[in-house]
Amino acid sequence: MEKIDRKPFQGVVNIIRFNWHFYVIAVLLLVLLGCFSEYLFLQVACWLLAGSVLLSLTASWYIYDRSALYSLHWLDDLVTSPGKQLMNVHAGFDETSYLLLQKYPESKLTVFDFYDPVKHTEVSIERARRVYAAYPGTQTITTANIPVATASADMILVFMAAHEIRDEAERNIFFRELRRSLQSQGRIVVVEHLRDIRNFMAYNLGFLHFFSRSTWQRTFLAAGLDMVSEIKITPFLSAFLLEKNGMAS
């Protein structure tokens, strides 16, 4: 199967490409503030805005282009073997399926896309879907129904996708479906930014698009999943390792 290599600056270019409206607004604000630069407080506001945009792009470059995120080596710290049945579940933008296939060629990879434009209204995903073709054989699903047999998956990866489920009840249902799909000794790996001080410093109010660690812990617990461990892929990005607890299915 075709191997897709990441290009230099691909991550930060995609962020600008898929969220260009934010940067257009930022440029217009900078121009507007510049028109009144004789006022000191507007000069300060202009520098703060420019600095915030530059900082967020620098952080994104580090995370998505400079770090080892897409090498998937960090998975070795969480799971010794993915098993035979591997699931990748995403929210309309899939950057990991080809990488998983390359890393685990002996596993059978099944890819699911739960993106629903009515429920999950992030415009950047719509733009990404127009640019990147889906992984061959990707199945469109709902968050309430993953069409696999109960206890059939050895490992499930949810890579920076679950936060797109903004409704807590829907998110709980989704994770219960993941639990149902998981075999008794299986593992779920969830990768997410957190709503914490580091992501606030990097993304300013954009960090509100992420959920806090306590929110994720509440979601996992409600779904009957234990958080076995958490590792930091970068200071801004966490990977949670989950397994079934004793809750009845």
Side-chain angles (χ1 to χ4, degrees):
M1 186 167 289
E2 180 185 3
K3 177 179 179 290
I4 297 180
D5 293 314
R6 292 185 64 82
K7 301 176 178 62
F9 301 100
Q10 179 175 329
V12 74
V13 167
N14 279 343
I15 286 174
I16 298 172
R17 190 180 195 181
F18 303 148
N19 300 279
W20 58 262
H21 54 293
F22 290 125
Y23 298 99
V24 169
I25 292 171
V27 169
L28 291 176
L29 284 173
L30 286 171
V31 171
L32 182 62
L33 291 170
C35 291
F36 301 94
S37 59
E38 65 270 22
Y39 299 103
L40 178 60
F41 76 95
L42 290 181
Q43 292 179 28
V44 173
C46 187
W47 281 107
L48 287 175
L49 176 59
S52 177
V53 172
L54 181 60
L55 181 60
S56 70
L57 289 176
T58 301
S60 296
W61 169 78
Y62 165 69
I63 296 166
Y64 301 115
D65 293 308
R66 190 69 180 88
S67 77
L69 174 62
Y70 292 103
S71 72
L72 301 188
H73 294 326
W74 48 269
L75 274 172
D76 299 331
D77 296 328
L78 294 171
V79 291
T80 54
S81 171
K84 291 297 183 181
Q85 300 295 326
L86 176 59
M87 282 172 46
N88 191 21
V89 186
H90 64 83
F93 182 39
D94 179 10
E95 294 188 285
T96 52
S97 289
Y98 283 103
L99 301 176
L100 285 169
L101 186 66
Q102 179 183 3
K103 184 173 180 63
Y104 302 121
E106 301 302 318
S107 297
K108 179 184 178 182
L109 176 63
T110 306
V111 183
F112 295 111
D113 175 5
F114 67 74
Y115 176 68
D116 181 341
V118 176
K119 293 181 178 180
H120 317 130
T121 56
E122 186 68 28
V123 66
S124 61
I125 296 178
E126 282 288 348
R127 291 170 182 161
R129 288 164 68 87
R130 290 195 291 267
V131 174
Y132 288 96
Y135 180 83
T138 297
Q139 300 179 49
T140 301
I141 63 171
T142 68
T143 51
N145 181 32
I146 300 176
V148 296
T150 297
S152 59
D154 294 296
M155 187 179 101
I156 302 173
L157 176 65
V158 189
F159 185 86
M160 290 190 284
H163 70 274
E164 299 296 348
I165 310 172
R166 307 309 294 177
D167 181 75
E168 183 174 7
E170 182 190 1
R171 200 164 55 249
N172 291 344
I173 291 170
F174 171 67
F175 274 91
R176 282 197 288 269
E177 263 298 278
L178 294 179
R179 184 187 188 279
R180 180 195 64 80
S181 305
L182 194 67
Q183 59 100 339
S184 59
Q185 301 302 314
R187 297 290 186 270
I188 301 173
V189 178
V190 177
V191 177
E192 289 288 345
H193 288 277
L194 297 181
R195 188 182 296 181
D196 59 15
I197 187 63
R198 290 174 179 174
N199 281 289
F200 173 71
M201 292 174 65
Y203 296 109
N204 203 278
L205 293 181
F207 91 132
L208 294 174
H209 188 58
F210 312 135
F211 294 122
S212 66
R213 179 180 286 101
S214 62
T215 296
W216 286 118
Q217 289 173 327
R218 185 170 65 248
T219 295
F220 302 153
L221 183 62
L225 294 165
D226 287 332
M227 191 172 77
V228 179
S229 63
E230 175 191 357
I231 63 169
K232 283 291 186 183
I233 305 172
T234 77
F236 309 98
L237 204 58
S238 292
F240 300 108
L241 179 65
L242 312 176
E243 64 180 15
K244 287 183 174 182
N245 63 25
M247 189 182 84
S249 302

